[in-house]
Amino acid sequence: MNRIAVIAGASGFIGRAVADAFAADGYEIRLVGRDADVRWDDPGALRRAVDGAEVVVNFAGKSVNCRYIDRNRDEILGSRVRTTRALREAIAGAAHPPRVWLNASTATIYRHATDRPNTESDGELGSGFSVDVATSWERELFAGTLPGTRRVALRMAIVIGDGPAARMLLALARSGLGGTQFDGWCPPHRRYRGIGECPTGGERAPWYRTGGRQRFSWVHLDDVVAAIRFLRDDDRLAGAINIAAPHPTDNRTLMQTLRRVVGARVGLPTTRWMLELGMWALRTEPELILKSRWVVPEVLTGAGFAFRHPDLEGALIAVRDGAGAERAATL
């Protein structure tokens, strides 16, 4: 009998990689999404899809790589909560529920940290829009009782691979703009204010004098896929789990490493007000690179998981070389 994996939100680069890996492991793949065989607006089909499946993985949700105007804020939150609720209700109604449900979350749930790393056991949650999205997302995942299904929230750091984050960083370095990015005063705005049932944080966007030393937690796509396989197969592990490389860096070191990897001799530094203008033009948010994310994978390493890409430079070289090989194959 075929093992079945239900994967929601597989159109993104992480979801595609996980679907391919599960297929290589011999799973029959059932896809859920707006344009997939199983659609979110058909609860009966969704319940039938998860009934008898061994594993459910959910990556659905609007990308955060956008401006946090009210319409996008509402959709970033709503798309995550709605899809997670739909899966929970489908699993609750299944005669043969899946053994494990792995649901995307984010390491951004933790506070802006420059003093110490956040682990699963002693991490401190932050406040404001991005944190409220993450806590609402996880609250929906762990609501109610699903006695036959182990639930895991994948608190992923910024993923290094052939995706939007790495492409943007490498492009900045190649263009000569790969210098240190300094937080500081910014024109007051309300885009990062809290959201959801219990909004947190202030009305104005916070800023910090980090001197370019804001922490940068990351993880290579290969290790995301491997960690998801590991969590799928280890019945001891449940709850919120950090998916982050064991050696985070800071912004200054990140940009130096990027310049070295792409062979850029110079990189112009940028201040917060410059980033506000640049990110407005790119239709994204400075928070994505200015928040100090300091997260380490205590649970994974304690369970014996070995990272293939523990160090940033090797991970970026793998991305650079992989992207180059892919471009060459299309010529």
Side-chain angles (χ1 to χ4, degrees), residues 291-317:
K291 179 175 179 178
S292 188
R293 296 172 173 86
W294 195 352
V295 182
V296 293
E298 179 184 62
V299 170
L300 278 177
T301 54
F305 179 77
F307 284 83
R308 179 178 173 185
H309 300 283
D311 298 303
L312 180 63
E313 185 160 0
L316 289 170
I317 289 171

PDB file of all heavy atoms in Angstrom, residues 291-317:
ATOM      1  N   LYS A 291      15.599  43.400  11.335  1.00  0.00           N
ATOM      2  CA  LYS A 291      15.291  42.776  12.618  1.00  0.00           C
ATOM      3  C   LYS A 291      16.417  41.824  12.992  1.00  0.00           C
ATOM      4  O   LYS A 291      16.906  41.055  12.167  1.00  0.00           O
ATOM      5  CB  LYS A 291      13.966  42.010  12.555  1.00  0.00           C
ATOM      6  CG  LYS A 291      13.639  41.325  13.890  1.00  0.00           C
ATOM      7  CD  LYS A 291      12.286  40.664  13.917  1.00  0.00           C
ATOM      8  CE  LYS A 291      12.042  39.997  15.263  1.00  0.00           C
ATOM      9  NZ  LYS A 291      10.710  39.373  15.364  1.00  0.00           N
ATOM     10  N   SER A 292      16.824  41.867  14.250  1.00  0.00           N
ATOM     11  CA  SER A 292      17.894  40.992  14.728  1.00  0.00           C
ATOM     12  C   SER A 292      17.294  39.639  15.103  1.00  0.00           C
ATOM     13  O   SER A 292      16.715  39.468  16.170  1.00  0.00           O
ATOM     14  CB  SER A 292      18.600  41.620  15.936  1.00  0.00           C
ATOM     15  OG  SER A 292      19.744  40.872  16.279  1.00  0.00           O
ATOM     16  N   ARG A 293      17.474  38.671  14.208  1.00  0.00           N
ATOM     17  CA  ARG A 293      16.958  37.313  14.408  1.00  0.00           C
ATOM     18  C   ARG A 293      18.113  36.429  14.871  1.00  0.00           C
ATOM     19  O   ARG A 293      19.032  36.149  14.109  1.00  0.00           O
ATOM     20  CB  ARG A 293      16.369  36.760  13.105  1.00  0.00           C
ATOM     21  CG  ARG A 293      15.158  37.511  12.578  1.00  0.00           C
ATOM     22  CD  ARG A 293      14.794  36.998  11.183  1.00  0.00           C
ATOM     23  NE  ARG A 293      13.548  37.545  10.687  1.00  0.00           N
ATOM     24  CZ  ARG A 293      13.437  38.708  10.047  1.00  0.00           C
ATOM     25  NH1 ARG A 293      14.528  39.433   9.835  1.00  0.00           N
ATOM     26  NH2 ARG A 293      12.266  39.138   9.614  1.00  0.00           N
ATOM     27  N   TRP A 294      18.046  35.999  16.124  1.00  0.00           N
ATOM     28  CA  TRP A 294      19.121  35.173  16.687  1.00  0.00           C
ATOM     29  C   TRP A 294      18.463  33.902  17.231  1.00  0.00           C
ATOM     30  O   TRP A 294      17.929  33.880  18.331  1.00  0.00           O
ATOM     31  CB  TRP A 294      19.842  35.933  17.779  1.00  0.00           C
ATOM     32  CG  TRP A 294      21.163  35.332  18.181  1.00  0.00           C
ATOM     33  CD1 TRP A 294      21.687  34.129  17.791  1.00  0.00           C
ATOM     34  CD2 TRP A 294      22.122  35.924  19.052  1.00  0.00           C
ATOM     35  NE1 TRP A 294      22.903  33.932  18.351  1.00  0.00           N
ATOM     36  CE2 TRP A 294      23.209  35.025  19.135  1.00  0.00           C
ATOM     37  CE3 TRP A 294      22.177  37.114  19.758  1.00  0.00           C
ATOM     38  CZ2 TRP A 294      24.328  35.271  19.920  1.00  0.00           C
ATOM     39  CZ3 TRP A 294      23.291  37.380  20.537  1.00  0.00           C
ATOM     40  CH2 TRP A 294      24.356  36.461  20.617  1.00  0.00           C
ATOM     41  N   VAL A 295      18.519  32.858  16.428  1.00  0.00           N
ATOM     42  CA  VAL A 295      17.782  31.624  16.706  1.00  0.00           C
ATOM     43  C   VAL A 295      18.716  30.438  16.499  1.00  0.00           C
ATOM     44  O   VAL A 295      19.462  30.407  15.514  1.00  0.00           O
ATOM     45  CB  VAL A 295      16.560  31.494  15.766  1.00  0.00           C
ATOM     46  CG1 VAL A 295      15.761  30.236  16.083  1.00  0.00           C
ATOM     47  CG2 VAL A 295      15.673  32.731  15.872  1.00  0.00           C
ATOM     48  N   VAL A 296      18.692  29.471  17.412  1.00  0.00           N
ATOM     49  CA  VAL A 296      19.500  28.262  17.251  1.00  0.00           C
ATOM     50  C   VAL A 296      18.614  27.022  17.412  1.00  0.00           C
ATOM     51  O   VAL A 296      17.587  27.058  18.102  1.00  0.00           O
ATOM     52  CB  VAL A 296      20.677  28.224  18.250  1.00  0.00           C
ATOM     53  CG1 VAL A 296      21.678  29.317  17.934  1.00  0.00           C
ATOM     54  CG2 VAL A 296      20.182  28.341  19.676  1.00  0.00           C
ATOM     55  N   PRO A 297      19.011  25.904  16.783  1.00  0.00           N
ATOM     56  CA  PRO A 297      18.152  24.708  16.703  1.00  0.00           C
ATOM     57  C   PRO A 297      18.400  23.727  17.849  1.00  0.00           C
ATOM     58  O   PRO A 297      18.901  22.616  17.636  1.00  0.00           O
ATOM     59  CB  PRO A 297      18.561  24.108  15.359  1.00  0.00           C
ATOM     60  CG  PRO A 297      20.027  24.439  15.241  1.00  0.00           C
ATOM     61  CD  PRO A 297      20.181  25.795  15.889  1.00  0.00           C
ATOM     62  N   GLU A 298      18.044  24.081  19.041  1.00  0.00           N
ATOM     63  CA  GLU A 298      18.320  23.253  20.211  1.00  0.00           C
ATOM     64  C   GLU A 298      17.699  21.864  20.106  1.00  0.00           C
ATOM     65  O   GLU A 298      18.364  20.851  20.379  1.00  0.00           O
ATOM     66  CB  GLU A 298      17.785  23.962  21.468  1.00  0.00           C
ATOM     67  CG  GLU A 298      17.975  23.199  22.763  1.00  0.00           C
ATOM     68  CD  GLU A 298      17.325  23.922  23.934  1.00  0.00           C
ATOM     69  OE1 GLU A 298      16.091  24.103  23.911  1.00  0.00           O
ATOM     70  OE2 GLU A 298      18.062  24.333  24.847  1.00  0.00           O
ATOM     71  N   VAL A 299      16.437  21.794  19.689  1.00  0.00           N
ATOM     72  CA  VAL A 299      15.750  20.502  19.650  1.00  0.00           C
ATOM     73  C   VAL A 299      16.344  19.599  18.574  1.00  0.00           C
ATOM     74  O   VAL A 299      16.629  18.409  18.810  1.00  0.00           O
ATOM     75  CB  VAL A 299      14.237  20.698  19.422  1.00  0.00           C
ATOM     76  CG1 VAL A 299      13.549  19.362  19.145  1.00  0.00           C
ATOM     77  CG2 VAL A 299      13.600  21.367  20.634  1.00  0.00           C
ATOM     78  N   LEU A 300      16.559  20.134  17.386  1.00  0.00           N
ATOM     79  CA  LEU A 300      17.102  19.312  16.301  1.00  0.00           C
ATOM     80  C   LEU A 300      18.483  18.761  16.640  1.00  0.00           C
ATOM     81  O   LEU A 300      18.754  17.569  16.456  1.00  0.00           O
ATOM     82  CB  LEU A 300      17.167  20.126  15.008  1.00  0.00           C
ATOM     83  CG  LEU A 300      15.888  20.240  14.179  1.00  0.00           C
ATOM     84  CD1 LEU A 300      16.123  21.138  12.976  1.00  0.00           C
ATOM     85  CD2 LEU A 300      15.388  18.872  13.729  1.00  0.00           C
ATOM     86  N   THR A 301      19.379  19.630  17.092  1.00  0.00           N
ATOM     87  CA  THR A 301      20.729  19.158  17.389  1.00  0.00           C
ATOM     88  C   THR A 301      20.712  18.192  18.566  1.00  0.00           C
ATOM     89  O   THR A 301      21.461  17.201  18.575  1.00  0.00           O
ATOM     90  CB  THR A 301      21.668  20.333  17.669  1.00  0.00           C
ATOM     91  OG1 THR A 301      21.110  21.169  18.698  1.00  0.00           O
ATOM     92  CG2 THR A 301      21.878  21.175  16.414  1.00  0.00           C
ATOM     93  N   GLY A 302      19.846  18.439  19.543  1.00  0.00           N
ATOM     94  CA  GLY A 302      19.742  17.528  20.677  1.00  0.00           C
ATOM     95  C   GLY A 302      19.225  16.159  20.286  1.00  0.00           C
ATOM     96  O   GLY A 302      19.555  15.147  20.927  1.00  0.00           O
ATOM     97  N   ALA A 303      18.426  16.100  19.215  1.00  0.00           N
ATOM     98  CA  ALA A 303      17.883  14.823  18.741  1.00  0.00           C
ATOM     99  C   ALA A 303      18.829  14.101  17.785  1.00  0.00           C
ATOM    100  O   ALA A 303      18.517  13.000  17.329  1.00  0.00           O
ATOM    101  CB  ALA A 303      16.542  15.060  18.059  1.00  0.00           C
ATOM    102  N   GLY A 304      19.971  14.740  17.471  1.00  0.00           N
ATOM    103  CA  GLY A 304      20.960  14.084  16.622  1.00  0.00           C
ATOM    104  C   GLY A 304      20.933  14.470  15.163  1.00  0.00           C
ATOM    105  O   GLY A 304      21.625  13.842  14.343  1.00  0.00           O
ATOM    106  N   PHE A 305      20.204  15.525  14.815  1.00  0.00           N
ATOM    107  CA  PHE A 305      20.172  15.952  13.414  1.00  0.00           C
ATOM    108  C   PHE A 305      21.499  16.608  13.049  1.00  0.00           C
ATOM    109  O   PHE A 305      22.024  17.432  13.796  1.00  0.00           O
ATOM    110  CB  PHE A 305      19.027  16.938  13.185  1.00  0.00           C
ATOM    111  CG  PHE A 305      18.942  17.455  11.770  1.00  0.00           C
ATOM    112  CD1 PHE A 305      18.407  16.664  10.769  1.00  0.00           C
ATOM    113  CD2 PHE A 305      19.398  18.727  11.451  1.00  0.00           C
ATOM    114  CE1 PHE A 305      18.320  17.129   9.458  1.00  0.00           C
ATOM    115  CE2 PHE A 305      19.320  19.210  10.157  1.00  0.00           C
ATOM    116  CZ  PHE A 305      18.781  18.397   9.146  1.00  0.00           C
ATOM    117  N   ALA A 306      22.057  16.229  11.882  1.00  0.00           N
ATOM    118  CA  ALA A 306      23.333  16.782  11.402  1.00  0.00           C
ATOM    119  C   ALA A 306      23.073  17.689  10.212  1.00  0.00           C
ATOM    120  O   ALA A 306      22.465  17.262   9.218  1.00  0.00           O
ATOM    121  CB  ALA A 306      24.293  15.658  11.015  1.00  0.00           C
ATOM    122  N   PHE A 307      23.518  18.932  10.306  1.00  0.00           N
ATOM    123  CA  PHE A 307      23.327  19.895   9.227  1.00  0.00           C
ATOM    124  C   PHE A 307      24.356  19.670   8.128  1.00  0.00           C
ATOM    125  O   PHE A 307      25.550  19.531   8.389  1.00  0.00           O
ATOM    126  CB  PHE A 307      23.442  21.326   9.749  1.00  0.00           C
ATOM    127  CG  PHE A 307      22.233  21.786  10.512  1.00  0.00           C
ATOM    128  CD1 PHE A 307      22.084  21.471  11.851  1.00  0.00           C
ATOM    129  CD2 PHE A 307      21.241  22.522   9.874  1.00  0.00           C
ATOM    130  CE1 PHE A 307      20.962  21.887  12.558  1.00  0.00           C
ATOM    131  CE2 PHE A 307      20.113  22.941  10.571  1.00  0.00           C
ATOM    132  CZ  PHE A 307      19.976  22.624  11.914  1.00  0.00           C
ATOM    133  N   ARG A 308      23.881  19.658   6.885  1.00  0.00           N
ATOM    134  CA  ARG A 308      24.766  19.535   5.737  1.00  0.00           C
ATOM    135  C   ARG A 308      25.496  20.845   5.470  1.00  0.00           C
ATOM    136  O   ARG A 308      26.637  20.857   5.009  1.00  0.00           O
ATOM    137  CB  ARG A 308      23.943  19.137   4.504  1.00  0.00           C
ATOM    138  CG  ARG A 308      24.753  18.992   3.231  1.00  0.00           C
ATOM    139  CD  ARG A 308      23.865  18.543   2.081  1.00  0.00           C
ATOM    140  NE  ARG A 308      24.575  18.557   0.823  1.00  0.00           N
ATOM    141  CZ  ARG A 308      24.010  18.306  -0.371  1.00  0.00           C
ATOM    142  NH1 ARG A 308      22.716  18.003  -0.433  1.00  0.00           N
ATOM    143  NH2 ARG A 308      24.721  18.342  -1.470  1.00  0.00           N
ATOM    144  N   HIS A 309      24.843  21.966   5.763  1.00  0.00           N
ATOM    145  CA  HIS A 309      25.420  23.297   5.532  1.00  0.00           C
ATOM    146  C   HIS A 309      25.386  24.081   6.844  1.00  0.00           C
ATOM    147  O   HIS A 309      24.539  24.957   7.031  1.00  0.00           O
ATOM    148  CB  HIS A 309      24.635  24.052   4.450  1.00  0.00           C
ATOM    149  CG  HIS A 309      24.606  23.376   3.118  1.00  0.00           C
ATOM    150  ND1 HIS A 309      25.673  23.388   2.246  1.00  0.00           N
ATOM    151  CD2 HIS A 309      23.624  22.658   2.514  1.00  0.00           C
ATOM    152  CE1 HIS A 309      25.354  22.726   1.150  1.00  0.00           C
ATOM    153  NE2 HIS A 309      24.133  22.266   1.293  1.00  0.00           N
ATOM    154  N   PRO A 310      26.325  23.822   7.762  1.00  0.00           N
ATOM    155  CA  PRO A 310      26.294  24.527   9.044  1.00  0.00           C
ATOM    156  C   PRO A 310      26.872  25.928   8.993  1.00  0.00           C
ATOM    157  O   PRO A 310      26.626  26.723   9.908  1.00  0.00           O
ATOM    158  CB  PRO A 310      27.150  23.627   9.947  1.00  0.00           C
ATOM    159  CG  PRO A 310      28.107  22.956   9.002  1.00  0.00           C
ATOM    160  CD  PRO A 310      27.355  22.760   7.718  1.00  0.00           C
ATOM    161  N   ASP A 311      27.665  26.244   7.944  1.00  0.00           N
ATOM    162  CA  ASP A 311      28.340  27.526   7.866  1.00  0.00           C
ATOM    163  C   ASP A 311      27.857  28.331   6.666  1.00  0.00           C
ATOM    164  O   ASP A 311      27.628  27.786   5.575  1.00  0.00           O
ATOM    165  CB  ASP A 311      29.851  27.324   7.788  1.00  0.00           C
ATOM    166  CG  ASP A 311      30.397  26.636   9.030  1.00  0.00           C
ATOM    167  OD1 ASP A 311      30.186  27.176  10.135  1.00  0.00           O
ATOM    168  OD2 ASP A 311      30.999  25.552   8.898  1.00  0.00           O
ATOM    169  N   LEU A 312      27.752  29.643   6.841  1.00  0.00           N
ATOM    170  CA  LEU A 312      27.117  30.511   5.854  1.00  0.00           C
ATOM    171  C   LEU A 312      27.859  30.538   4.523  1.00  0.00           C
ATOM    172  O   LEU A 312      27.230  30.453   3.467  1.00  0.00           O
ATOM    173  CB  LEU A 312      26.998  31.930   6.411  1.00  0.00           C
ATOM    174  CG  LEU A 312      26.353  32.957   5.481  1.00  0.00           C
ATOM    175  CD1 LEU A 312      24.915  32.585   5.163  1.00  0.00           C
ATOM    176  CD2 LEU A 312      26.423  34.351   6.102  1.00  0.00           C
ATOM    177  N   GLU A 313      29.169  30.679   4.544  1.00  0.00           N
ATOM    178  CA  GLU A 313      29.885  30.825   3.270  1.00  0.00           C
ATOM    179  C   GLU A 313      29.706  29.591   2.392  1.00  0.00           C
ATOM    180  O   GLU A 313      29.447  29.711   1.190  1.00  0.00           O
ATOM    181  CB  GLU A 313      31.368  31.097   3.507  1.00  0.00           C
ATOM    182  CG  GLU A 313      32.113  31.382   2.210  1.00  0.00           C
ATOM    183  CD  GLU A 313      33.418  32.120   2.426  1.00  0.00           C
ATOM    184  OE1 GLU A 313      33.761  32.410   3.587  1.00  0.00           O
ATOM    185  OE2 GLU A 313      34.094  32.424   1.427  1.00  0.00           O
ATOM    186  N   GLY A 314      29.825  28.406   2.967  1.00  0.00           N
ATOM    187  CA  GLY A 314      29.615  27.192   2.198  1.00  0.00           C
ATOM    188  C   GLY A 314      28.202  27.106   1.643  1.00  0.00           C
ATOM    189  O   GLY A 314      27.992  26.665   0.509  1.00  0.00           O
ATOM    190  N   ALA A 315      27.213  27.559   2.437  1.00  0.00           N
ATOM    191  CA  ALA A 315      25.830  27.532   1.973  1.00  0.00           C
ATOM    192  C   ALA A 315      25.626  28.477   0.805  1.00  0.00           C
ATOM    193  O   ALA A 315      24.962  28.135  -0.190  1.00  0.00           O
ATOM    194  CB  ALA A 315      24.888  27.898   3.122  1.00  0.00           C
ATOM    195  N   LEU A 316      26.210  29.681   0.887  1.00  0.00           N
ATOM    196  CA  LEU A 316      26.059  30.645  -0.204  1.00  0.00           C
ATOM    197  C   LEU A 316      26.798  30.200  -1.464  1.00  0.00           C
ATOM    198  O   LEU A 316      26.314  30.405  -2.584  1.00  0.00           O
ATOM    199  CB  LEU A 316      26.570  32.014   0.245  1.00  0.00           C
ATOM    200  CG  LEU A 316      25.700  32.738   1.282  1.00  0.00           C
ATOM    201  CD1 LEU A 316      26.424  33.965   1.824  1.00  0.00           C
ATOM    202  CD2 LEU A 316      24.351  33.131   0.687  1.00  0.00           C
ATOM    203  N   ILE A 317      27.949  29.575  -1.312  1.00  0.00           N
ATOM    204  CA  ILE A 317      28.666  29.042  -2.469  1.00  0.00           C
ATOM    205  C   ILE A 317      27.835  27.957  -3.148  1.00  0.00           C
ATOM    206  O   ILE A 317      27.750  27.898  -4.380  1.00  0.00           O
ATOM    207  CB  ILE A 317      30.046  28.504  -2.042  1.00  0.00           C
ATOM    208  CG1 ILE A 317      30.966  29.667  -1.673  1.00  0.00           C
ATOM    209  CG2 ILE A 317      30.676  27.658  -3.148  1.00  0.00           C
ATOM    210  CD1 ILE A 317      32.273  29.236  -1.036  1.00  0.00           C
TER     211      ILE A 317
END
